[in-house]
Amino acid sequence: MASHIVGYPRMGPKRELKFALESFWDGKSSADDLQKVSADLRSDIWKQMSSAGIKYIPSNTFAYYDQVLDTTAMLGAVPPRYGWNSGEIGFDVYFSMARGNASVPAMEMTKWFDTNYHYIVPELGPEVKFSYASHKAVNEYKEAKALGVDTVPVLVGPVSYLLLSKLAKGVEKSFDLLSLLPKILPIYKEVIAELKGAGATWIQFDEPLFVMDLEAHKLQAFSAAYAELESTLSGLNVLVETYFADVPAEAYKTLTSLKGVTAFGFDLIRGTKTLDLIKSSFPEGKYLFAGVVDGRNIWANDLAASLITLQSLEGVVGKDKLVVSTSCSLLHTAVDLVNETKLDTEIKSWLAFAAQKVVEVDALAKALVGQTNEDFFAANAEALSSRRSSPRVTNESVQKAAAALKGSDHRRVTEVSARLDAQQKKLNLPILPTTTIGSFPQTVELRRVRREYKAKKISEEDYVKAIKEEIKKVVDIQEDLDIDVLVHGEPERNDMVEYFGEQLSGFAFTANGWVQSYGSRCVKPPIIYGDVSRPKPMTVFWSSTAQSMTKRPMKGMLTGPVTILNWSFVRNDQPRHETCYQIALAIKDEVEDLEKGGIGVIQIDEAALREGLPLRKAEHSFYLDWAVHSFRITNCGVEDSTQIHTHMCYSNFNDIIHSIIDMDADVITIENSRSDEKLLSVFREGVKYGAGIGPGVYDIHSPRIPSTEEIADRVNKMLAVLEQNVLWVNPDCGLKTRKYTEVKPALKNMVDAAKLIRSQLSSSK
C-alpha cells in the first residue's frame, strides 16, 4: 500500500529558514548562505519522509515566501514596477514583489483560503508577457534525485493560479483572467517537459479552487486546461490535489473527468461529504489519494477509524489504486513533537505534529496490507481514551455559563451614533484622529528581557521595571509625534494570541510549535484542549500603568474570541462555536475589568474573523452569526462612553461588510493600503457605515516609508466615500515586525498628513 504527503513545513524545526531569511534581508548574510540553509532543510525533509517509508514524497513545496509567488516567478508574471525584463528571476525581484523596496510597494498579500497562511496575489491583465523565468521546480526535483530520493514535483495548477489572481491596476473590470490560460499553458508545458526529461514519473497539480462554489465556465476552464496539457503529460502519472473542504458534486464530475489525469486527492477530514461522492462514482482505473490524516490540526489521528474508512474505499477503487495521504499540506501544523520536552506528558500523548503525521500515514498504509504495528495502534487507542476521559478537559461551570448565552443577541442598548457622541464628549478628539493598531517594534533587547524572565534568569521586579521603561519609551514617542489615541506597544507580548492563551485555562503551549504565516513570519498557535475560562485579569496592570504615563487616551489591547479561536489549534471534540463562546465570556470579564481600571478606549482585535469564513457560501450565514455574536458578547456590558475598537487585516472584507457592521463596534481599523484600497469600493457602491472607521493608510509589512503626500492622497480618497467625522487615520496593522528607523518617520508622515487634511478641511469651510 502506497503513502503520500501533500506538502511539508519549510521553516525547519527551530525556524532555521526564518533566521536565514531575516539575516539575508538585513544584509548580514549572502544569497549563497540562504541557499545553503534551505538546501539542508530540504535534504532533511526528503530523507525523513523516505526513511519513514513514504512512497510519494513532494518536491517544489519549499518556497522562500509562498508557492503562489513561486508560480508567478515561474511564469515571469512580474509587474512592470519591479523593473524586470527577462532572464531567471533572482532574489532581488522575488523579494521586492513580496516585501516591496525603497522605491516601490509590495504586491498585495491575502489569506490562503481559510487558513492563517498568506500568499502574494498575482497582478494580471492582457498586457502581461509570460515567460519561463524560474526553473525552481525542475531544480528541486534534480536536487532530491541527486540525494537518492525520487519525488513528486508539485505545481500550483494553472486554473487555480488564475482564479487566485487579481486584475492589475488599470485593467478593465470586465477582463476575464481565465482568458490568459492559452498564454500560461505553454509555460506549464515547458516545465512538464523538463521534469519528464529529468526523470520524473509523477507530477502533482494543486487545484484547491475545486472546493469552491464555481460557475460552469470556471469548471469548463479546468477541462480545457487539462485537455490542452494532455499530450505533454503523456507518460507521466498525474495527481490533481484538492483540499480544505468538500468538492461540490458538479466540480467532482469535472475533476474526475479531466483528460490526462491518473489520480485525484481529496481532503477527507474537512471534506467528509466527498466520501459519499467517491463511493457512488469513482472513475475506474484511477488512483485515489485519500487524505485521512489531518494536515491542519495537531491531534493524533484516530487510526482505527481511519483504517475503517480506508478499508471501505478499497472496495471502491481497488487495493492497488488506494494511496494513504494527508488531508492537505502539513505546512499548517507544527514540525515535530520531539522538540517539546516541557509539554505536559498527558497532553503530549494526544498530539501529532508534522513528523508524527508522516509516521501515521505510513502506519495506516502498512496496516492496509496486513503489516499492522500493533504497539503503535494500541498506544494510539490508549491516548484517545485518555483524552476522552480526562477531567482536565471539562469545566462544568464554564459549560453552564456558555449554555446560558442562548436567547440573547448581546447588543449594546444604545445606538452607535449616540455612543460616539458620548465618547467624543469624554475623549475630545480632533477630526481624523490618529492612532496605531497596537504593537510597536520588538527589539532584540526586549525579546532578551522576555526570554530571560521566562527562563527565570531575571527577577519579576527587574522584568516589570524593564517593561515599564519600554512602555514609557513608546508613550513618549507617540506624544512627540502628536498621535491622538495611544497604545502601550505590547512589550510584554511575544504574540497576540499566545499571550492571552497563556493566561486562560484550557490552553496548552509548546516551545517550538511554530507555524509559518507569511515570509519569515512564524506564529506559535496555542492548543485549546479543554473548556476555557479566565482565572484572573490579564492586561489591566499594563494598560493602567500605560494610562498613568499620559493624559491622552490609552487603548486597552485585547485579542477577540474569534481570532483566538482561528489562530489556535482547536479541540475537535466539540463544535468550534461552543469553544468560541467560552473564549468570549473570558474576554468579556477582561473588558469590564479594563473599564473599571480607567481605560476608556478598548480595542478587541478580530484580525482573523474573515479568515474563518467557510469556503462554501451555504455555510457562511451560520459561521458569521456565531462569530459576530461572540464579538458582541465581549463588550455588551460597557458604558456608552467607553469606546470599543476592533481591527481586521489582510483578507477580502467586501463580501462580509454587513456582518462587520453588525459587530456594532464603535471604531474599526482595517487593512486597506496593500490591497489597492479595494475596501473603499464597497462604500463607493453605497454601503453606509455610521461608526468610526480607519482604513489603513500605509502597509506595515514593507520596509518602505510612505511620504506625507502619499498618505494624504490616500486619506482624500477615503474622504470621497466616508464622512470626515467617522474617519480615523492609522497604519494597516501592528508595528512589531518593523524597526524604529522605519516606524518613526512613517508615523510622523502619517500624523503630518492628517494635520494637513484637517487644515485643508478647516480652510474650506
Side-chain angles (χ1 to χ4, degrees), residues 432-437 650 669-674 677 679-680 693-700 704-719 727-733 746-747 749-751 753-754 757:
L432 308 181
T434 54
T435 191
T436 64
I437 305 305
Y650 299 106
T669 53
I670 195 162
E671 183 273 325
N672 171 67
S673 65
R674 188 157 180 172
E677 298 159 348
L679 172 71
L680 300 185
I693 183 167
V697 296
Y698 79 90
D699 173 25
I700 65 87
R704 182 174 169 273
I705 299 166
S707 67
T708 299
E709 293 73 24
E710 180 182 331
I711 294 174
D713 181 58
R714 287 190 187 278
V715 174
N716 278 320
K717 287 179 181 176
M718 296 170 190
L719 286 170
L727 185 62
W728 285 63
V729 178
N730 47 262
D732 264 348
C733 203
L747 289 180
N749 292 349
M750 182 188 83
V751 172
I757 303 296

Side-chain angles (χ1 to χ4, degrees), residues 244-431:
F244 297 154
D246 286 299
V247 176
E250 280 305 308
Y252 179 83
K253 288 179 189 174
T254 300
L255 171 60
T256 54
S257 302
L258 292 178
K259 299 283 183 67
V261 176
T262 50
F264 307 98
F266 298 100
D267 181 340
L268 300 182
I269 300 296
R270 291 181 176 239
T272 52
K273 294 176 186 173
T274 305
L275 262 176
D276 295 330
L277 294 174
I278 294 169
K279 290 177 180 178
S280 64
S281 173
F282 191 79
E284 190 175 349
K286 304 289 187 180
Y287 289 87
L288 170 62
F289 282 59
V292 295
V293 173
D294 194 348
R296 285 186 59 176
N297 216 327
I298 43 68
W299 303 108
N301 188 270
D302 186 337
L303 296 177
S306 294
L307 192 56
I308 290 169
T309 298
L310 291 165
Q311 288 167 339
S312 72
L313 292 170
E314 272 187 331
V316 177
V317 304
K319 281 195 173 190
D320 62 330
K321 299 296 182 184
L322 181 62
V323 179
V324 182
S325 184
T326 54
S327 65
C328 62
S329 173
L330 297 176
L331 172 72
H332 308 288
T333 190
V335 179
D336 195 342
L337 202 53
V338 169
N339 297 317
E340 302 307 323
T341 56
K342 296 180 181 178
L343 190 61
D344 178 274
T345 304
E346 183 183 30
I347 293 174
K348 188 173 178 179
S349 74
W350 303 342
L351 309 178
F353 290 179
Q356 288 69 47
K357 290 175 186 293
V358 169
V359 175
E360 289 179 338
V361 167
D362 178 65
L364 286 166
K366 285 176 176 164
L368 272 174
V369 293
Q371 299 172 19
T372 305
N373 183 332
E374 300 291 351
D375 290 343
F376 187 68
F377 270 67
N380 174 259
E382 185 179 345
L384 295 175
S385 175
S386 161
R387 185 176 167 214
R388 281 191 292 266
S389 60
S390 176
R392 68 201 308 171
V393 170
T394 305
N395 183 323
E396 192 174 335
S397 64
V398 171
Q399 293 189 350
K400 283 182 179 177
L405 293 171
K406 293 172 184 174
S408 170
D409 64 2
H410 297 89
R411 289 183 185 277
R412 293 170 78 178
V413 175
T414 309
E415 290 291 317
V416 67
S417 57
R419 299 198 310 261
L420 289 173
D421 287 343
Q423 292 155 17
Q424 179 58 16
K425 286 176 185 174
K426 178 179 176 181
L427 299 173
N428 193 29
L429 297 172
I431 62 166

Side-chain angles (χ1 to χ4, degrees), residues 681-707:
S681 65
V682 297
F683 303 114
R684 294 189 190 102
E685 291 160 9
V687 171
K688 299 297 181 188
Y689 193 79
I693 183 167
V697 296
Y698 79 90
D699 173 25
I700 65 87
H701 290 293
S702 169
R704 182 174 169 273
I705 299 166
S707 67

Side-chain angles (χ1 to χ4, degrees), residues 4-8 42 45-46 49 54-62 140-141 144 149-154 204 329:
H4 167 251
I5 304 297
V6 177
Y8 201 81
R42 286 193 295 272
I45 290 166
W46 291 327
M49 284 193 257
I54 302 300
K55 181 175 180 180
Y56 300 115
I57 297 170
S59 61
N60 197 41
T61 59
F62 192 99
E140 278 195 22
Y141 174 78
V149 182
D150 190 27
T151 60
V152 178
V154 180
Q204 175 179 319
S329 173

Side-chain angles (χ1 to χ4, degrees), residues 151-167:
T151 60
V152 178
V154 180
L155 300 176
V156 175
V159 180
S160 287
Y161 176 78
L162 291 177
L163 293 178
L164 289 166
S165 303
K166 70 173 187 178
L167 297 175

